[in-house]
Amino acid sequence: MSNFGYYIACLIVLIIGVFIVKKVVSCMIRAVVGLVVVAILAYVYFMYLR
């Protein structure tokens, strides 16, 4: 029965880990996309509008 509790604990930790990774990765993707957009806007400003 102790092995069953160990497997349940591992499953819970795995599920929590997946949720944490999803939150961190989505935040990082948003940050990278934001930086790319800012870089493109800066390029357009300096090349055409200045």
Side-chain angles (χ1 to χ4, degrees):
M1 196 63 176
S2 65
N3 284 342
F4 183 72
Y6 176 73
Y7 290 128
I8 294 295
C10 286
L11 185 63
I12 291 171
V13 168
L14 181 68
I15 291 171
I16 292 172
V18 167
F19 281 126
I20 291 173
V21 167
K22 278 179 59 175
K23 292 291 183 185
V24 170
V25 169
S26 67
C27 183
M28 287 173 53
I29 290 172
R30 283 189 209 137
V32 169
V33 169
L35 287 174
V36 168
V37 169
V38 167
I40 291 171
L41 290 174
Y43 174 77
V44 168
Y45 172 75
F46 283 114
M47 295 305 281
Y48 298 107
L49 299 176
R50 200 173 125 213

